[in-house]
Amino acid sequence: GGSGNMPNLFATSSRLALLAYLLPVAGCHLHSVGDNPYYRNHWCGLPGALPSLDDADCQKAFPPGVPSPNWQCPVTYTAKKAEAPGFQRAGTPIKLNTSAFSHLQLDPRVNVAVVLIRRGPTGVTLRYMGHNATIPYETWSSSKIFAAASAAGVLQERCGLGLAGETRGVHGATPLGDLLTIICSYDTTVNYTSNGLARYFLDVGGRPRVRELVQRWLGRMNETLGGNYGEPVPSDLAFGVQESNGEWCPEEPNHTDDGDISNSLSALGAAEFARRLILHRESSADLRLPGVEWSDVASILYGANHTKLFPAAELRWGGMSTDTSIFLQRSVGETALARAGDQWRIFSKLGAGFSDTRQVGEITNIAYGCFPVLDSTGTPVVDEGLELVITSRASIPVDTKLITADKVLLDTLQSVVT
């Protein structure tokens, strides 16, 4: 996808393509999932899996070492670059560049929004770009993370403890972070389902609240969340939260359905929701999710601090780190990860399905990435690297097995990122 007119997501100059940055580096081949064996043994390479949506070939990479919830993206920029034309401060009305990708002639069946993030001397600046980015569409499972974030705010307000706490169930004390790992990985080894647990968090937070977050807090009045995810809540799970061995704080589930709510976000709406969530620490109080603390966000991104449902020695990375979709990873390429050492991150959430009523196969994807360029001493090089949120959807008529959608979405992300 390299082109001289690119908005260029990676390189320092707006006229250098990512391909120049991604020159082959000797000895940089990555061992894809050596650091997260539970993922490799249970969650990828399953029968019927697609290459990018479900990681059919177990290509997903994890950063070396042990994750730290205190990690922050080390990609930084000089004032000149951070305040370049097209960049704006968070909280100002979004200026969406709808022509940034016009020369790429992207597939009309795709929606995509990109938020470029630059950390400069005076704070974070953002550049918004999109293709069909303001049209609401069915989120499928990609919006489950937002239901969990909404629930976190309710738990914090009522109990002073959110997603870093534990609930109770058939497995005993159960970290909410482990339930988030199941939502993102589609694990079935402990007899919970991603859909059932997403509905659990919807009941914790209430459907009216997550809809209000979209319409009032985000200001996306034509978009909605609050729809169920197709399976019942596990009957064994209690509604409430406790610290490990701590006092139990009961929580009243909110089953209010408000009629037929759909999960319908635009690529831009989903991108801004994800950006505010993941950049919680860098955001002013009015732009943070109401009630939510960083410990809640870390639980969504990384899963439980101390897992109880999975063998700790085999599962270092949980939460959104274990999403099986590898669209962004395949788009930036192995060299980008190798050059970032242990300092890169990808947090993502897939959604997918075939709509019988609309007769379309669809894949949705929300992804955050941080890819610094480290020098020979392991220090991030200023004005190089990439930090972004990219949200996307492919909607393909009669694509019942999503084979075309999987390919079209990867092609689109590779065009946009490179």
Side-chain angles (χ1 to χ4, degrees):
S3 165
N5 300 316
M6 285 261 346
N8 189 298
L9 302 194
F10 235 114
T12 56
S13 159
S14 62
R15 299 203 172 272
L16 291 175
L18 170 59
L19 299 178
Y21 164 86
L22 292 184
L23 290 171
V25 178
C28 275
H29 183 72
L30 283 159
H31 296 286
S32 293
V33 289
D35 289 331
N36 223 22
Y38 204 85
Y39 174 92
R40 183 182 64 243
N41 294 334
H42 297 281
W43 298 336
C44 64
L46 301 178
L50 292 164
S52 299
L53 177 69
D54 313 300
D55 194 9
D57 301 315
C58 289
Q59 293 298 302
K60 186 177 177 76
F62 295 90
V66 179
S68 165
N70 298 320
W71 171 92
Q72 276 180 286
C73 183
V75 177
T76 58
Y77 286 85
T78 56
K80 182 180 179 184
K81 294 282 186 184
E83 291 161 33
F87 283 84
Q88 61 179 94
R89 299 276 169 192
T92 55
I94 291 174
K95 299 185 193 110
L96 177 69
N97 184 333
T98 57
S99 61
F101 306 127
S102 54
H103 64 287
L104 296 175
Q105 297 181 308
L106 296 178
D107 195 308
R109 302 170 295 180
V110 169
N111 311 67
V112 62
V114 173
V115 189
L116 278 185
I117 300 161
R118 290 194 171 175
R119 297 166 188 258
T122 59
V124 173
T125 55
L126 310 163
R127 186 180 181 197
Y128 295 87
M129 298 174 282
H131 165 75
N132 295 334
T134 58
I135 304 163
Y137 54 76
E138 184 171 347
T139 65
W140 298 95
S141 289
S142 63
S143 56
K144 289 173 178 176
I145 54 172
F146 302 144
S150 175
V154 168
L155 290 172
Q156 289 283 7
E157 288 163 7
R158 293 186 186 162
C159 298
L161 178 66
L163 301 179
E166 299 176 341
T167 186
R168 296 170 178 171
V170 70
H171 301 284
T174 302
L176 293 175
D178 276 343
L179 303 186
L180 293 163
T181 295
I182 294 169
I183 285 175
C184 295
S185 67
Y186 292 85
D187 174 81
T188 56
T189 63
V190 296
N191 295 320
Y192 291 138
T193 67
S194 177
N195 286 350
L197 294 177
R199 190 162 179 170
Y200 172 79
F201 284 112
L202 262 183
D203 282 356
V204 171
R207 290 151 189 78
R209 181 186 178 99
V210 73
R211 189 187 67 239
E212 294 273 304
L213 284 176
V214 171
Q215 296 184 345
R216 294 202 177 176
W217 178 70
L218 269 186
R220 313 296 301 177
M221 290 306 296
N222 297 323
E223 303 175 30
T224 56
L225 286 179
N228 296 318
Y229 290 98
E231 291 183 51
V233 173
S235 58
D236 63 292
L237 280 182
F239 285 89
V241 68
Q242 64 187 37
E243 290 191 49
S244 192
N245 304 316
E247 188 180 342
W248 177 254
C249 174
E251 203 271 329
E252 206 52 48
N254 183 341
H255 301 294
T256 309
D257 221 325
D258 274 10
D260 188 22
I261 299 180
S262 64
N263 292 321
S264 178
L265 294 179
S266 64
L268 180 60
E272 179 63 2
F273 202 140
R275 183 202 68 76
R276 291 190 189 186
L277 177 66
I278 295 169
L279 265 62
H280 176 90
R281 293 167 296 181
E282 294 83 352
S283 299
S284 56
D286 58 317
L287 294 180
R288 291 179 172 180
L289 270 96
V292 169
E293 302 289 341
W294 173 247
S295 59
D296 302 311
V297 181
S299 298
I300 293 171
L301 301 181
Y302 294 104
N305 221 358
H306 301 287
T307 179
K308 292 187 176 178
L309 297 188
F310 304 105
E314 293 179 45
L315 187 71
R316 294 183 179 181
W317 300 84
M320 288 177 72
S321 303
T322 59
D323 176 56
T324 62
S325 71
I326 53 171
F327 293 101
L328 181 56
Q329 179 187 313
R330 293 186 72 184
S331 297
V332 298
E334 286 196 353
T335 308
L337 308 190
R339 288 192 170 184
D342 63 355
Q343 288 299 300
W344 65 271
R345 295 290 184 275
I346 294 175
F347 304 116
S348 58
K349 182 68 191 79
L350 64 79
F354 183 80
S355 169
D356 291 323
T357 53
R358 293 181 289 119
Q359 285 294 297
V360 287
E362 295 185 328
I363 294 176
T364 59
N365 194 246
I366 295 170
Y368 164 89
C370 169
F371 310 100
V373 178
L374 305 184
D375 66 16
S376 57
T377 68
T379 305
V381 180
V382 178
D383 284 346
E384 290 197 31
L386 173 66
E387 184 179 9
L388 82 167
V389 173
I390 183 165
T391 53
S392 52
R393 175 190 75 151
S395 178
I396 310 296
V398 209
D399 186 21
T400 51
K401 295 185 177 176
L402 309 182
I403 293 168
T404 305
D406 192 68
K407 183 181 185 308
V408 165
L409 203 62
L410 178 65
D411 288 347
T412 299
L413 263 67
Q414 287 181 329
S415 294
V416 166
V417 172
T418 59

